Amino acid sequence: MADIVQVLTTNPLAKQLGVPQPTRLRRGRELPSGPVVLGAAGGSPSIVRRTLDLLGVPVQDALRDVPEARVTETDDKGRERQVPPSYPARIGAVLVDATAVTSIADLEEVRQVLRPALRSLEPSARVVVVGVEPETAGGPVAVAAQQALEGVVRSVGKELRRGATANLVRVDLLTGTPTTPEDLGSTMSFLLEGRSAYVSGQVFHVGHADEGRVGDLTTPRPFEGRIVVVTGAGRGIGASIAEVFARDGAAVVAVDVPAGGQGLASVANKIGGTALQLDITVPDAGSRIAAHVAQRFGEGARIHTIVHNAGITRDKLLVNTDEDRWGSVLEVNLAAQTRINEILLDPELPGGLDDEGRIIGVASTSGIAGNRGQANYAASKAGVVGLVRAMGADQGLAARGITVNAVAPGFIETEMTAKIPLATREIGRRINSLQQGGRPVDVAEAIAWFAQPASAAVTGQVLRVCGQSQLGA
Ligand code: NAD
């Protein structure tokens, strides 16, 4: 049965009938079309400006809402009022370098930069505030002021309309291993481009990678000559992940259950990758992936990225959940990937994970917020979050340059979500700041950003790709 709301919103009469039209989001590698403006709070913009220079993105100075810059406006009734200075044309992004914010008074400067900009944003514009990790900021007031930035960004995300997003990036400037513009580059470029279309109200963390580890920041094909394994690639989000990695130059190994053979073969053919029919829950799944890589690409070949995307749901209230429903979900969504990682992390294994490799999990907002009828699924996805935190903090992996991260998708339009009953589905689709469901490609782009050689300074993170869903926010 056709989804009634989908029919209504695609019908040309819908607008006249007053059905809300979701904004078409800017996607892909497209930068904003209007200017990118930069302002600072608490000091002069330094790391953000230098990062944009590296990326070759031109920036203009932001206007400020200070009393002397305000202009007098007369309304239709002849009344005069003071309004903030306005930009001559719509702007594509406003960036605030708030790394020097240490006091509550400094926060006023964040407001000064944001107010004029928020009145002039183009559709799918970007608001990006860059701060430092609060715990490194100094005394309680400095920590409070840095933490306050999160409140600003999460609220602005909820106020924005027409596909615009707001995110906070935290860097390390005050520790022994400070974040450099090279470390920050891949994250700033992801945020400015349409690749981050469905990411809003989130906090990004960028640390520091050892000398020489940060790959090329501006190449559109960062995975050229690299092998990427994607599980559950036969359809849905996994198929999109495989396509995005292939677009960006990777040789993709698409893995799915033998029963999903048809879909798997057509995905692999479409992207010129190889297909591996494999149930990831078999005990030797990791060795079989490695053997496939060594056999197809040669003894010396190693995996650059493994994306643990395969997942299942077996929803029931816990009161009705038997050991099979419980066990199968935990097995596919969590246990299988721990076994596969253990095997692939053997540095001696032909076809194993390379140094400077990437492990990427797929969690879910259900794993963060919990969900009625999904105790098994939420357990497995919360487990993925725990796994990423633990492995991201592992010094042995860090020494090898291996990063471990996960995405937590919200409502994404796939066969999995198409099965949700209509009313629940409509709520899921709309209760987020972008007022629409995300697309598989939105999840895929976030995963590819984590995997990029240029994202070497990003590890142990879980990024929600949920349009700032109110679920568990
Ligand atoms: P999907 O059901 O459309 O695709 C999942 C794929 O995984 C299928 O091709 C399936 O055959 C494969 N798979 C399942 N068990 C497997 C096994 N044992 N071995 C190998 N392959 C196996 O699901 P999707 O919506 O594309 O979801 C992909 C991932 O994203 C899952 O981990 C899911 O939990 C997660 N996720 C999805 C959403 C969403 O809104 N769709 C939201 C949050 C998280």
Side-chain angles (χ1 to χ4, degrees):
M1 192 186 78
D3 176 331
I4 181 75
V5 181
Q6 217 162 25
V7 171
L8 280 174
T9 51
T10 49
N11 187 310
L13 284 176
K15 216 169 191 166
Q16 294 168 29
L17 292 170
V19 176
Q21 301 288 304
T23 304
R24 199 193 150 92
L25 306 179
R26 168 167 59 89
R27 287 189 159 91
R29 292 203 174 270
E30 212 183 310
L31 278 164
S33 52
V36 173
V37 305
L38 170 63
S44 61
S46 171
I47 185 164
V48 179
R49 191 181 291 282
R50 286 186 290 135
T51 304
L52 292 167
D53 284 350
L54 275 183
L55 296 172
V57 174
V59 276
Q60 296 178 11
D61 287 337
L63 298 175
R64 275 177 188 266
D65 178 40
V66 286
E68 56 276 23
R70 291 201 181 124
V71 289
T72 309
E73 202 180 69
T74 314
D75 68 15
D76 356 330
K77 295 196 176 114
R79 284 180 304 216
E80 287 191 346
R81 56 183 191 138
Q82 296 286 303
V83 295
S86 59
Y87 286 92
R90 299 235 159 250
I91 60 169
V94 54
L95 313 178
V96 187
D97 189 328
T99 51
V101 164
T102 53
S103 72
I104 293 152
D106 289 342
L107 295 169
E108 157 60 13
E109 295 185 58
V110 177
R111 187 203 66 77
Q112 287 172 6
V113 174
L114 288 178
R115 189 176 181 209
L118 296 181
R119 293 158 62 98
S120 299
L121 295 179
E122 68 182 22
S124 289
R126 298 288 188 262
V127 176
V128 182
V129 177
V130 180
V132 294
E133 297 294 346
E135 61 275 20
T136 67
V141 172
V143 173
Q146 281 294 329
Q147 188 65 35
L149 298 172
E150 191 174 326
V152 175
V153 167
R154 290 196 195 273
S155 301
V156 168
K158 292 181 177 177
E159 293 174 6
L160 294 173
R161 288 292 171 265
R162 300 196 302 156
T165 65
N167 291 285
L168 174 64
V169 183
R170 287 187 175 139
V171 295
D172 251 338
L173 290 184
L174 308 163
T175 62
T177 51
T179 307
T180 64
E182 286 78 9
D183 292 322
L184 184 56
S186 75
T187 303
M188 286 307 285
S189 112
F190 173 68
L191 281 169
L192 287 174
E193 290 180 11
R195 289 181 285 146
S196 60
Y198 203 59
V199 178
S200 191
Q202 302 309 306
V203 181
F204 289 66
H205 302 264
V206 182
H208 175 61
D210 287 350
E211 196 72 32
R213 284 224 161 119
V214 177
D216 188 335
L217 278 172
T218 51
T219 171
R221 287 173 69 81
F223 304 105
E224 197 74 67
R226 294 186 156 97
I227 300 165
V228 173
V229 177
V230 182
T231 69
R235 67 176 203 192
I237 295 173
S240 192
I241 298 168
E243 282 169 27
V244 163
F245 274 105
R247 176 199 73 187
D248 292 354
V252 176
V253 177
V255 179
D256 212 304
V257 283
Q262 196 67 40
L264 182 65
S266 69
V267 170
N269 283 342
K270 188 171 164 197
I271 61 170
T274 72
L276 173 61
Q277 291 190 5
L278 173 70
D279 179 340
I280 56 160
T281 63
V282 299
D284 63 344
S287 325
R288 289 184 42 197
I289 291 170
H292 176 94
V293 167
Q295 193 218 335
R296 293 296 172 101
F297 302 97
E299 278 292 301
R302 299 190 68 77
I303 297 166
H304 178 264
T305 298
I306 176 149
V307 185
H308 294 293
N309 162 78
I312 58 168
T313 51
R314 295 284 182 272
D315 296 358
K316 278 269 186 230
L317 296 180
L318 185 57
V319 77
N320 298 322
T321 300
D322 61 18
E323 65 269 34
D324 288 344
R325 271 182 194 275
W326 184 263
S328 56
V329 170
L330 279 154
E331 188 55 26
V332 176
N333 297 3
L334 184 57
Q337 63 186 276
T338 63
R339 286 193 298 266
I340 292 172
N341 287 344
E342 209 169 310
I343 305 269
L344 294 182
L345 280 169
D346 176 355
E348 307 297 325
L349 178 74
L353 190 75
D354 207 357
D355 283 355
E356 303 190 19
R358 306 280 185 257
I359 297 175
I360 299 171
V362 178
S364 163
T365 47
S366 293
I368 295 169
N371 204 12
R372 188 179 151 84
Q374 288 200 315
N376 52 357
Y377 182 75
S380 71
K381 296 301 187 178
V384 170
V385 173
L387 201 60
V388 160
R389 292 208 181 122
M391 294 177 79
D394 183 310
Q395 291 309 309
L397 294 181
R400 290 171 63 186
I402 293 171
T403 68
V404 188
N405 294 286
V407 290
F411 187 99
I412 306 297
E413 307 282 357
T414 62
E415 285 179 45
M416 196 185 244
T417 48
K419 282 194 220 135
I420 300 172
L422 174 71
T424 321
R425 184 162 75 236
E426 257 328 294
I427 296 167
R429 194 176 264 159
R430 311 240 161 206
I431 52 159
N432 59 74
S433 298
L434 294 167
Q435 297 172 306
Q436 56 190 293
R439 296 194 191 157
V441 70
D442 299 328
V443 179
E445 295 280 20
I447 289 174
W449 159 70
F450 274 135
Q452 258 179 271
S455 295
V458 180
T459 192
Q461 305 304 310
V462 177
L463 177 66
R464 291 173 60 134
V465 182
C466 66
Q468 196 176 23
S469 167
Q470 287 170 32
L471 244 187

